[in-house]
C-alpha cells in the first residue's frame, strides 16, 4: 500500500542542515499493525508526517497504492490526507473551547455529508470509544485517556485506510496505554478495518 524509496528529509536551520531521514526504504502491506521505535530525535515524527502527507520529502519517492507521488500537487496531497489518513497526535490537538462532539463533527466538514448525518456518526463513534456520557463536555474537562479517545474517534471518523499515531500513549500511564491500544484495534475492527 505504501512504499518508501530512499526517502530523504532535511531541515534547514540557518546555515545548518539537519538530515532527519537519510535514505529510508521500506514497504507497508494492505493491512497490519506496525510500531516504529526509536530514541527521541531519531525522526519518527518526521517519518509519520511524510507518509501521512503532512510534510514533503526532499528526495526519493513515496509510492501510494502503486502510484509515485513525485508529481503530486498540493491538491493531490490534500485528497490523500483527507480520504486515506487518520492522524492521532501526541498532544491530542483537540480544540479546547468546543465540545467533544463538535471536535469529532468538525473532522467531517469536508466529507460532503449532511450536518445531521455528521452528528449521528460522531455520536456513534464516540459511543464506540466509550465516551457516550461525555459528548457535551469540553476537552479540558476530560482525563488524558479520555482526550486520547476523542482524538481516536476524530481520526477514524472519515473511514481512513490508515490511522497514524504519534506516540499515542506517550502522555498516559501504563494501564491507560494498554486500554488505548486495545481500543484502537477494537474500534478499527468494528468500523470495518482489520489492521
Ligand atoms: P522524533 O519524533 O523521533 O523525536 P523528529 O522527527 O521530531 O524525531 O526529529 C528528527 C530530527 O529532526 C531531530 O534532530 C529534530 O531536532 C529535527 N527537527 C524536527 N523538526 C524540525 C524542524 N521543524 N526544524 C528543524 N529541525 C527539526
Ligand atoms: Mg516525535
Amino acid at each position: 500500500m505504501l512504499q518508501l524509496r530512499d526517502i530523504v528529509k532535511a531541515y534547514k536551520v540557518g546555515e545548518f542542515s539537519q538530515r532527519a531521514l537519510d535514505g529510508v526504504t521500506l514497504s507497508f502491506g494492505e493491512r497490519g499493525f506496525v510500531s516504529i521505535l526509536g530514541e527521541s530525535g531519531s525522526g519518527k515524527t518526521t517519518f509519520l508526517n511524510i507518509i501521512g502527507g503532512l510534510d514533503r520529502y526532499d528526495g526519493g519517492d513515496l509510492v501510494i497504492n502503486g502510484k509515485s507521488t513525485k508529481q503530486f500537487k498540493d491538491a493531490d496531497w490534500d485528497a490523500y490526507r483527507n480520504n486515506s489518513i487518520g492522524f492521532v497526535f501526541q498532544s491530542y490537538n483537540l480544540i479546547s473551547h468546543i465540545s467533544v462532539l463538535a471536535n469529532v463533527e468538525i473532522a467531517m466538514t469536508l466529507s460532503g455529508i449532511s450536518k445531521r448525518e455528521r452528528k449521528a456518526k460522531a455520536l456513534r463513534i464516540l459511543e464506540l470509544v466509550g465516551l457516550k456520557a461525555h459528548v457535551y463536555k469540553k476537552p479540558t474537562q476530560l482525563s488524558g485517556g479520555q482526550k486520547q479517545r476523542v482524538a481516536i474517534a476524530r481520526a477514524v471518523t472519515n473511514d481512513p485506510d490508515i490511522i497514524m499515531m504519534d506516540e499515542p500513549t506517550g502522555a498516559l500511564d501504563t494501564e491507560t496505554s494498554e486500554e488505548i491500544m486495545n481500543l484502537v484495534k477494537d474500534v478499527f475492527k468494528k468500523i470495518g478495518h482489520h489492521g
Side-chain angles (χ1 to χ4, degrees):
M1 181 174 222
L2 284 180
Q3 269 181 288
L4 290 88
R5 298 187 184 151
D6 216 16
I7 287 283
V8 172
K9 173 70 181 178
Y11 295 105
K12 284 207 175 56
V13 183
E15 298 283 279
F16 182 71
S17 174
Q18 168 85 55
R19 247 181 200 225
L21 299 177
D22 193 8
V24 178
T25 297
L26 183 67
S27 307
F28 299 103
E30 262 328 292
R31 49 190 46 173
F33 192 94
V34 180
S35 297
I36 296 165
L37 309 179
E39 63 190 40
S40 179
S42 60
K44 304 180 296 294
T45 297
T46 304
F47 178 84
L48 276 183
N49 287 346
I50 283 179
I51 66 173
L54 293 173
D55 201 1
R56 305 290 163 263
Y57 51 83
D58 301 317
D61 195 7
L62 171 65
V63 179
I64 301 169
N65 288 324
K67 193 168 184 278
S68 166
T69 57
K70 276 185 186 168
Q71 310 297 328
F72 259 33
K73 304 274 185 297
D74 283 350
D76 299 311
W77 286 115
D78 289 346
Y80 169 61
R81 258 196 337 269
N82 293 332
N83 302 325
S84 305
I85 307 293
F87 246 98
V88 176
F89 300 92
Q90 178 174 3
S91 47
Y92 316 120
N93 277 21
L94 302 175
I95 303 170
S96 58
H97 63 275
I98 62 173
S99 70
V100 163
L101 177 61
N103 265 279
V104 177
E105 284 176 316
I106 222 169
M108 286 179 273
T109 309
L110 300 174
S111 66
I113 63 175
S114 72
K115 202 166 184 268
R116 196 196 166 106
E117 277 177 85
R118 289 205 295 264
K119 181 171 182 184
K121 190 168 185 191
L123 286 170
R124 203 163 63 238
I125 293 173
L126 283 164
E127 182 170 2
L128 216 57
V129 300
L131 290 177
K132 196 180 179 192
H134 305 277
V135 299
Y136 295 109
K137 283 189 180 171
K138 304 265 169 68
T140 48
Q141 298 169 311
L142 300 177
S143 70
Q146 288 171 330
K147 281 185 212 165
Q148 197 58 299
R149 285 167 191 264
V150 180
I152 289 163
R154 184 184 55 183
V156 301
T157 192
N158 287 320
D159 307 314
D161 302 318
I162 309 170
I163 175 165
M164 295 186 182
M165 303 190 285
D166 194 356
E167 303 201 33
T169 60
L172 305 175
D173 59 69
T174 311
E175 199 179 317
T176 313
S177 297
E178 273 172 30
E179 268 172 39
I180 289 289
M181 293 320 289
N182 288 331
L183 176 81
V184 168
K185 293 179 186 174
D186 199 42
V187 165
F188 238 41
K189 269 194 201 115
K190 285 190 179 135
I191 62 171
H193 292 270
H194 305 278

